[in-house]
Amino acid sequence: MLEIKYTAIVEWPGELLDDEDRLRGPFTATWGKTRTLLERELRHLEATNVIFQVGVHENDIRLDGGVKAGRVWYHPGVILTFDSPHGPLSYHTDQYEEFSTNVRAIALALEALRAVDRYGVNKRGSQYTGYKRLAAAGETGDGRKRITTDEEAAAFIAKHFPEVTVEQLLASSWLFEASYKNAARKLHPDNQESGDDDAFVDLQDAAALLKQRHAKSE
């Protein structure tokens, strides 16, 4: 088992979401499966010095790097940091209500980025350094407004794939999935003509909201 140590968050990147703005997790996997997935992706990256920065106080951390039993976490966000052959990497999110769900979101993001290598799109691992942040809150670190509603999410996707309307994206899971894939191809950082790092991250925020919307209606 890969060693992962915990430490208290010193400073959250950007602003934390308010509790009422966090989403219920769309995943059903157990913590054990999430941990296994994350460890697999970290091994692929040859990760070392793996640390979870979490919402507890420093005196809640044991000497061995774990969290003391029975401690109250003041928020579920997580910052995952580690060293790799691509340099030091850091990923964070507080999009969801549960810590384990936020960890799974990061693990799935790393898995998706690895597919770039699998299909031969990028051989140097720059997709990892170009995609260091996940959905955070309110505003991004550079002051851009974070996508927080279904309507904003649909409008963002429609902006980058105007063949569909906001109303269609809100109503049809099939059209949403197809439109998201087209927008992702357009905005992916490896697309030299239209790739955009920030817009690609915003697209993931939008997709997370609409996936949850359509999952509730099925």
Side-chain angles (χ1 to χ4, degrees):
M1 181 178 291
L2 186 68
E3 181 181 18
I4 300 176
K5 293 185 177 181
Y6 291 74
T7 186
I9 293 172
V10 176
E11 182 178 0
W12 185 260
E15 296 182 9
L16 283 165
L17 283 170
D18 294 330
D19 288 343
E20 60 269 21
D21 292 329
R22 293 195 177 97
L23 304 175
R24 186 180 301 277
F27 317 123
T28 58
T30 64
W31 170 246
K33 289 183 178 179
T34 293
R35 172 85 185 219
T36 297
L37 173 62
L38 179 63
E39 289 182 357
R40 185 188 72 191
E41 297 308 315
L42 291 173
R43 288 195 182 92
H44 172 78
L45 285 165
E46 301 177 33
T48 58
N49 192 29
V50 181
I51 296 174
F52 278 147
Q53 294 183 46
V54 297
V56 299
H57 299 289
E58 194 62 47
N59 59 8
D60 294 329
I61 304 295
R62 303 193 306 259
L63 293 178
D64 64 358
V67 178
K68 295 178 181 177
R71 299 303 179 184
V72 176
W73 296 37
Y74 57 86
H75 76 77
V78 57
I79 305 172
L80 173 67
T81 63
F82 55 92
D83 295 325
S84 79
H86 310 298
L89 297 175
S90 177
Y91 300 84
H92 69 276
T93 184
D94 71 328
Q95 180 85 2
Y96 299 106
E97 296 174 347
E98 300 291 336
F99 164 76
S100 59
T101 309
N102 287 319
V103 173
R104 187 161 189 83
I106 293 177
L108 289 169
L110 291 176
E111 182 183 44
L113 289 172
R114 184 159 62 91
V116 175
D117 282 335
R118 183 184 308 131
Y119 297 118
V121 176
N122 189 319
K123 295 296 187 182
R124 294 176 296 176
S126 61
Q127 74 271 28
Y128 293 104
T129 57
Y131 189 71
K132 288 186 179 180
R133 77 180 163 81
L134 298 178
E139 291 185 353
T140 64
D142 57 8
R144 293 180 298 108
K145 186 177 183 301
R146 177 70 67 195
I147 296 169
T148 57
T149 69
D150 293 352
E151 290 73 20
E152 290 174 350
F156 181 86
I157 294 176
K159 174 183 176 182
H160 294 284
F161 189 66
E163 286 81 354
V164 294
T165 66
V166 169
E167 290 74 18
Q168 288 173 323
L169 290 170
L170 292 172
S172 169
S173 61
W174 181 87
L175 280 174
F176 154 64
E177 291 287 350
S179 302
Y180 163 71
K181 290 177 182 177
N182 279 282
R185 283 194 290 269
K186 175 183 176 182
L187 297 175
H188 195 282
D190 286 335
N191 186 327
Q192 296 184 358
E193 294 183 357
S194 57
D196 185 314
D197 287 0
D198 289 332
F200 188 72
V201 174
D202 288 339
L203 179 63
Q204 310 314 309
D205 292 358
L209 286 167
L210 293 185
K211 282 180 181 178
Q212 179 164 299
R213 175 190 180 90
H214 290 301
K216 289 179 180 179
S217 64
E218 291 178 354

